[in-house]
Amino acid sequence: MLRVAAAQFSHETNRFSAVPTDLAAFEASGLAFEEAILALARGTNAAFGGFLAGAEAHGLDLVPILSVWATPSGVVTRDAMETLLGWLRDGLGRARAGGALDGVLLALHGAMVAETVDDAEGAILAMVRTEVGPETPIVATLDLHANISEVMVRHADVLIGYDTYPHVDMAERAHEACGVLARLARREIWPTAALRKPPMLPTSQRMTTDRDPMRALLAHAHRLEAAPRVINVTVAGGFPPADVPDAGFSVLVTTNNDSDLAARLADDLAAGAWERRAEFLGGVSSFADASTALRALPEAPDGGPLLVVDIGDNPWTGGPGDSAELVRFLLAEGVDGAAVALIKDPEAVQAALATNGKPVRLSLGGKTDWLHGPPLDVLGEVRFSSDGRYVNEGPMMAGLPVDLGPSVVLRCRRPDDTEMRGPLVDVLVTSRAETPIDLNVFRAHDIEPTQRRVIGLKGKGHFRAAFEPIARDVILVEGPGITGADLSRLPFRNIRRPIWPLDPL
């Protein structure tokens, strides 16, 4: 049986975030070592769940080392990067001391930036390569929003990107990685890779893979992947706010000992992406359009809720999650009975809990920085409180636990509504920021989303997996913030230039 080490080390870094990603941020999102990983991961639709299933299917003796990720936020601190790299290095040392390793599986993101290095995944892969030597195969999975670099390609034998956004194939791609690693370890294949990076910096609101242009590009990739000498074809849309030279669209083709074929196929697919670049633009409505849609809603929730999604403060793109703009909009529009997830505001949570259920005036959100709008004064009362913990039903990240910290559902009115007769909006106020991707974010807090006329979310695309099937319609709006579609808002300093759509090309 092949003996294979496995680790997850993942973060999507928004360089414009005012919230640094320290070791506590990784610990809060999830940190597990060695055998403890197995109990948490088995049966989940996540990377380690796929590693476990793939190891059983392909005859691998899996040696788990480390599983850690953090909610997207600012640059990873020096201490966090050095500590986690050290834990990974030490874990590899212990694994090798227990017997020869036939390979290493890694679950990475591809858009991590640290104080010490712009290409954090390149540094991780380089360290692992140094530890295990040039002959030990390394296979890593990457997020569809990875900013793939030549350093990453050089130090890994094969990189395998997700094929879906929302990412519902994390376990499937990890399972695939196990199969590729088994073939590598048995010397059945000899990878040759070609990376192409057309000068494109698309944002993700139109990067969902069940719609064009990504649907067509991935269909093309899968046709190429069916060729006998092709090991993998990865199409990565990239993550602009990482603000690194490698930010942007990537095509990576890995063949079996045929570098010319890899180059030819990568050139072909990259040219196709460039030709369709304009299709990545748009997809965002104005608040005026959202207002029109709200006025047209029937009184009954039959047909599902209207989803109004603010992409300007998306926690899974690195937003702080404390913008109150969506609630401000819904109250101003006189929308009654909407439910919103979420606003991160631990101060407001504690103030609300101290009222013992009585109405209280609160300043909600807007506390992290000035980029996501000012606080919103509301008259609120606690409708429900919890520890903020639930388990995702899926399809995305099914089976994984979520911890929002102490949380309340705050029934909010305008502060001048002293007679308690005006419109109200139920707002999930949390102690930690997460993007709401699962219906259980509401159901765990005594809100049935299918029975609401209007649901407000913060997101970009991941929400679609669970929420779009129940929705009457979806409207994306862009409030103030660092995670939206308008890249001209961001003061880029490190991306390669010229690059579309910031520059005329």
Side-chain angles (χ1 to χ4, degrees), residues 82-131:
E82 292 179 351
T83 298
L84 292 168
L85 269 179
W87 287 343
L88 179 56
R89 183 185 298 109
D90 292 346
L92 283 170
R94 287 191 297 274
R96 294 173 65 212
L101 288 178
D102 297 298
V104 179
L105 291 164
L106 296 172
L108 307 175
H109 184 283
M112 189 192 318
V113 182
E115 287 180 333
T116 52
V117 59
D118 278 358
D119 181 7
E121 283 85 2
I124 294 167
L125 287 162
M127 183 277 288
V128 174
R129 177 58 70 199
T130 298
E131 290 298 308

Side-chain angles (χ1 to χ4, degrees), residues 434-497:
E434 289 289 349
T435 292
I437 64 160
D438 196 273
L439 299 182
N440 281 350
V441 71
F442 287 111
R443 289 173 174 161
H445 294 92
D446 198 35
I447 295 173
E448 177 47 56
T450 60
Q451 299 303 310
R452 298 296 181 116
R453 293 173 64 239
V454 179
I455 291 289
L457 299 172
K458 293 180 179 180
K460 204 75 170 287
H462 288 309
F463 72 90
R464 292 186 184 273
F467 285 93
E468 196 163 36
I470 71 163
R472 170 187 301 274
D473 199 2
V474 177
I475 295 180
L476 304 185
V477 293
E478 185 165 359
I482 60 172
T483 69
D486 184 1
L487 294 181
S488 67
R489 293 182 178 187
L490 302 179
F492 289 104
R493 295 181 179 178
N494 302 291
I495 57 172
R496 57 203 159 111
R497 305 296 288 263

Side-chain angles (χ1 to χ4, degrees), residues 168-242:
V168 296
D169 67 332
M170 293 177 174
E172 187 177 353
R173 298 285 71 75
H175 195 294
E176 177 186 349
C178 291
V180 170
L181 186 63
R183 295 173 68 197
L184 279 164
R186 293 170 181 139
R187 301 296 188 262
E188 297 172 2
I189 52 175
W190 302 90
T192 48
L195 174 66
R196 296 293 182 267
K197 298 184 71 68
M200 296 167 56
L201 196 68
T203 54
S204 62
Q205 78 281 353
R206 297 198 67 178
M207 209 178 282
T208 48
T209 53
D210 62 346
R211 296 164 172 82
D212 289 338
M214 282 297 277
R215 174 173 56 187
L217 293 173
L218 281 163
H220 186 182
H222 293 155
R223 288 193 296 271
L224 300 180
E225 210 169 42
R229 297 190 69 84
V230 176
I231 297 170
N232 179 264
V233 179
T234 285
V235 178
F239 187 67

